[in-house]
Amino acid sequence: MDPTTDNAGQTGDPGTARDALEALRAEIAKAVVGQDAAVTGLVVALLCRGHVLLEGVPGVAKTLLVRALASALELDTKRVQFTPDLMPSDVTGSLVYDTRSAAFSFQPGPVFTNLLLADEINRTPPKTQSSLLEAMEERQVTVDGTPRPLPDPFLVAATQNPVEYEGTYPLPEAQLDRFLLKLTIPLPSRQDEIDVLTRHAEGFDPRDLHAAGVRPVAGPADLEAARAAVAKTTISPEITAYVVDICRATRESPSLTLGVSPRGATALLATARAWAWLTGRDYVIPDDVKALALPTLRHRVQLRPEAEMEGVTADSVINAILAHVPVPR
């Protein structure tokens, strides 16, 4: 057997990996209608070993999207409903006393998975929110002084509701900065909504993805090959300077009290690189940076109260900066 082939028959060839990841859109579309941009964002996050914040009103298939992605990638997934009484050990796991061995043993929590859906993350107190920080940054969980590595790939997809803030605990800027992307899940268009209702009328069950025809089209070997190829994608000094100029402009914007940190600049460079590879190029162009600027930066800036009252949004500020920062030729 070819050593670059895993048990599912997928190879470690970069070209094959790109084709497999491109096939994800069609496969996930069997269960989720009209969310190609969110699917692409989740794939970019997996390629960059990052995490995603999904924001959208209830009922726009955020949970179904993550489940369909896990099924199409043949990855393990777990869901945690974040509530005010959720404890950190409910996420990470804890030591449990075994009466038979008269010793404590570690019982892993739901964070030990490939895709963790942290549903309504802003409904749990900061103590529990912070339980994910080590997992997201270090890809390990430390319990009783012992670090325990998480599986690879590992991605946290956290959701939050943008319209209902009563009884919530907004994520602090330091934790928001740990998310590679913030993806907004819009309401579907009229035709997409008709398609959704038609599927349900024909017997579609969102709890049974197998019956919906969702099959694995890629796997961990494809992701590993893709990550290696992304790492070889060329970034010119001009593109690096362009990313820096965009991020520095956010720090000087009169509409913002908080601009993008150097970590955010690094994130934008990484996501632009992944997007360039996905679109079939081995080098990054300014359009790649522009394409990923909003999802990569929108949660890393903070509006001034007076600007917010005037209807200014983070997206509008970033779009204005993209329009004014000189583009390298």
Side-chain angles (χ1 to χ4, degrees), residues 4 73 79 88 171 205 210 214 228 248 306 310:
T4 63
L73 278 173
R79 175 177 179 270
L171 297 176
D205 183 359
H210 184 77
V214 179
R248 290 181 68 86
E306 55 270 28
E310 293 172 1

Side-chain angles (χ1 to χ4, degrees), residues 54-310:
L54 299 171
E55 186 172 271
V57 299
V60 290
K62 298 187 293 293
T63 301
L64 181 60
L65 175 63
V66 175
R67 289 180 53 240
L69 176 68
S71 181
L73 278 173
E74 207 169 19
L75 298 176
D76 182 45
T77 183
K78 290 186 175 67
R79 175 177 179 270
V80 177
Q81 184 67 47
F82 279 63
T83 58
D85 60 348
L86 193 74
M87 298 297 291
S89 59
D90 295 330
V91 178
T92 61
S94 58
L95 295 175
V96 177
Y97 185 73
D98 188 342
T99 55
R100 291 173 296 180
S101 62
F104 285 94
S105 62
F106 178 68
Q107 296 297 317
V111 75
F112 287 87
T113 186
N114 296 124
L115 268 66
L116 176 68
L117 178 62
D119 212 357
E120 294 189 289
I121 189 173
N122 57 335
R123 292 205 172 276
T124 199
K127 179 173 70 172
T128 305
Q129 291 176 6
S130 65
S131 67
L132 280 176
L133 286 179
E134 182 188 14
M136 292 168 66
E137 194 70 20
E138 306 296 336
R139 300 186 177 273
Q140 66 178 26
V141 170
T142 302
V143 177
D144 196 34
T146 303
R148 294 173 169 84
L150 295 169
D152 185 41
F154 173 70
L155 178 144
V156 173
T159 72
Q160 63 180 15
N161 183 344
V163 296
E164 187 181 1
Y165 291 108
E166 185 175 351
T168 63
Y169 303 84
L171 297 176
E173 283 71 25
Q175 188 165 347
L176 283 172
D177 205 36
R178 296 305 199 280
F179 286 97
L180 181 72
L181 299 172
K182 179 182 178 181
L183 304 176
T184 55
I185 311 297
L187 288 166
S189 66
R190 181 176 183 273
Q191 186 55 54
D192 285 344
E193 196 164 1
I194 290 173
D195 292 344
V196 171
L197 268 62
T198 301
R199 291 186 183 191
H200 280 265
E202 293 172 350
F204 171 71
D205 183 359
R207 290 171 291 275
D208 190 352
L209 294 177
H210 184 77
V214 179
R215 301 287 185 269
V217 294
D222 293 307
L223 279 175
E224 195 57 39
R227 287 170 173 174
V230 168
K232 297 177 182 177
T233 302
T234 303
I235 303 173
S236 69
E238 291 78 13
I239 293 295
T240 302
Y242 181 51
V243 170
V244 169
D245 290 342
I246 291 171
C247 294
R248 290 181 68 86
T250 65
R251 302 169 204 163
E252 299 167 1
S253 171
S255 299
L256 302 176
T257 59
L258 179 69
V260 176
S261 69
R263 180 193 285 135
T266 302
L268 181 55
L269 199 66
T271 56
R273 200 178 203 181
W275 175 245
W277 180 83
L278 278 173
T279 54
R281 278 178 284 100
D282 60 357
Y283 57 92
V284 179
I285 62 175
D287 283 349
D288 300 324
V289 177
K290 290 181 178 181
L292 273 296
L294 283 180
T296 308
L297 304 181
R298 59 163 58 110
H299 57 297
R300 303 176 193 272
V301 299
Q302 188 173 25
L303 288 167
R304 292 188 182 277
E306 55 270 28
E308 201 166 3
M309 291 176 63
E310 293 172 1

Side-chain angles (χ1 to χ4, degrees), residues 9-35:
Q10 283 130 23
T11 69
D13 177 68
T16 305
R18 184 188 286 115
D19 293 340
L21 294 178
E22 279 294 321
L24 281 175
R25 294 186 185 185
E27 202 63 25
I28 293 173
K30 296 177 181 178
V32 182
V33 177
Q35 296 293 357

